[in-house]
Amino acid sequence: MILELGISVGALGIASLVWSNMAVSVSRYEISADRSLKILHLSDLHKKKFGKDYKKLLDKIPDEKFDFICFTGDLISRGEYIFDERLSFVKKLTELAPVFFVCGNHEAERPENYLKLRDELEKIGVTVLDNETVSFENTRIAGFSSEKRFFRNEKDGFSGLYKIDSNYLKEKLGEKSDEFTILLSHSPFFFEKYAEWGADLTLCGHVHGGVVRLPFVGGVLSPERKFFPKYDGGIYEKNSKKMVVSRGLGKLRLFNPSEIVVIDIKKG
């Protein structure tokens, strides 16, 4: 009986692991503002494939008209030198709507690879925001670039990581304008500073949903090896400023399927 129970639990665990790493979910968030926009938000693809030419993933993207698409980093994994398939996937995204990209920690940790990736992304029409802001559809879109020191220390560990303040954001991105401002940044852990700087809506990734998600608990582990990270996925608010954190697409996960995010900004 104990053996049968063990086999059943093991089979359930394997089935859950397989499902979590094959399924793709669509999460929707609605935000009120002084304008209407529909945004597709993707993050953290890494090395993961979704069938030939990413067809499975593309088929999961809702057949809706998006004003633009945001990809918040880790399109590739550190150490990758060939990423033609990822570029082909992003090219297909540009056929759906304008695409904005900000680098993640994996790109930041290999600057030579990131420079190559950035050049290739720009060739296919992606707007790469390296501590830059642009105006689009009467909206200000800002991209805060990741730096390795936000994610790893000089010894490649996770202690004593560099922290930012709103003055640092002003130095990198300038003063926040009066326009509705969307900030793209890989890490969600500086949300309070993003809000203080003036981002009306921040889009992030990085945490992969906490890798394993537990009912009533949420994500278990951050990439910095911290248990129960504060911002693991979903929507958060600070002084009327909002942040949406994607659970990401790639990496190993449990009870935590890959996620496509749709954000409806509605006037009212």
Side-chain angles (χ1 to χ4, degrees), residues 11-144:
L12 179 61
I14 292 171
S16 299
L17 185 65
V18 171
W19 172 79
S20 297
N21 287 279
M22 293 184 65
V24 180
S25 65
V26 177
S27 299
R28 293 180 177 271
Y29 302 99
E30 189 172 303
I31 294 171
S32 295
D34 61 351
R35 71 211 51 223
S36 295
L37 290 169
K38 182 170 286 190
I39 304 168
L40 178 68
H41 177 203
L42 305 172
S43 195
D44 298 272
L45 181 56
H46 292 282
K47 298 179 179 179
K48 188 166 182 178
K49 296 184 179 181
F50 291 85
K52 182 176 174 55
D53 298 325
Y54 287 88
K55 186 177 186 303
K56 179 181 175 183
L57 182 56
L58 290 164
D59 286 348
K60 281 289 186 177
I61 294 175
D63 185 15
E64 301 170 26
K65 180 175 174 52
F66 297 102
D67 291 283
F68 53 90
I69 299 169
C70 298
F71 201 109
T72 52
D74 287 359
L75 176 62
I76 61 174
S77 290
R78 67 176 68 85
E80 283 194 273
Y81 297 92
I82 299 173
F83 27 79
D84 292 348
E85 289 180 300
R86 253 67 54 83
L87 290 169
S88 177
F89 166 65
V90 177
K91 176 62 176 175
K92 290 182 173 66
L93 294 179
T94 66
E95 296 167 5
L96 302 178
V99 176
F100 296 88
F101 177 86
V102 68
C103 76
N105 61 298
H106 279 249
E107 287 99 0
E109 289 176 29
R110 295 292 186 273
E112 66 282 2
N113 288 2
Y114 174 54
L115 290 175
K116 177 183 175 183
L117 175 66
R118 185 183 67 185
D119 289 345
E120 293 299 325
L121 286 172
E122 290 176 341
K123 285 178 184 177
I124 61 175
V126 175
T127 301
V128 179
L129 297 173
D130 279 324
N131 293 323
E132 298 172 86
T133 61
V134 296
S135 289
F136 184 84
E137 301 288 344
N138 297 316
T139 300
R140 198 74 170 160
I141 303 176
F144 179 58

Side-chain angles (χ1 to χ4, degrees), residues 84-267:
D84 292 348
E85 289 180 300
R86 253 67 54 83
L87 290 169
S88 177
F89 166 65
V90 177
K91 176 62 176 175
K92 290 182 173 66
L93 294 179
T94 66
E95 296 167 5
L96 302 178
V99 176
F100 296 88
F101 177 86
V102 68
C103 76
N105 61 298
H106 279 249
E107 287 99 0
E109 289 176 29
R110 295 292 186 273
E112 66 282 2
N113 288 2
Y114 174 54
L115 290 175
K116 177 183 175 183
L117 175 66
R118 185 183 67 185
D119 289 345
E120 293 299 325
L121 286 172
E122 290 176 341
K123 285 178 184 177
I124 61 175
V126 175
T127 301
V128 179
L129 297 173
D130 279 324
N131 293 323
E132 298 172 86
T133 61
V134 296
S135 289
F136 184 84
E137 301 288 344
N138 297 316
T139 300
R140 198 74 170 160
I141 303 176
F144 179 58
S145 287
S146 298
E147 296 178 36
K148 181 180 177 180
R149 58 182 175 166
F150 300 151
F151 305 97
R152 288 180 181 265
N153 59 31
E154 293 178 353
K155 297 181 179 180
D156 272 345
F158 303 104
S159 62
L161 298 180
Y162 187 78
K163 300 187 186 316
I164 67 168
D165 58 25
S166 56
N167 288 328
Y168 185 84
L169 288 171
K170 288 178 184 177
E171 176 188 327
K172 295 293 184 180
L173 298 172
E175 296 282 349
K176 194 267 188 185
S177 73
D178 293 333
E179 291 180 283
F180 183 83
T181 299
I182 298 174
L183 174 65
L184 311 184
S185 183
H186 188 58
S187 172
F189 297 127
F190 304 119
F191 176 39
E192 289 79 5
K193 301 305 176 184
Y194 302 149
E196 188 178 320
W197 172 72
D200 297 293
L201 171 63
T202 301
L203 304 183
C204 299
H206 181 57
V207 189
H208 308 148
V211 184
V212 177
R213 295 188 69 80
L214 301 177
F216 312 109
V217 175
V220 173
L221 188 67
S222 80
E224 290 77 23
R225 312 300 191 262
K226 303 292 185 183
F227 286 106
F228 309 111
K230 183 177 182 180
Y231 302 122
D232 58 353
I235 189 166
Y236 304 88
E237 183 170 351
K238 177 77 172 180
N239 298 330
S240 79
K241 310 297 186 182
K242 294 181 174 61
M243 176 174 72
V244 174
V245 181
S246 166
R247 298 198 307 270
L249 296 163
K251 293 287 191 178
L252 188 69
R253 46 185 66 224
L254 182 61
F255 310 124
N256 177 28
S258 298
E259 182 182 49
I260 292 169
V261 175
V262 176
I263 302 168
D264 275 303
I265 300 176
K266 295 193 173 180
K267 189 171 183 177

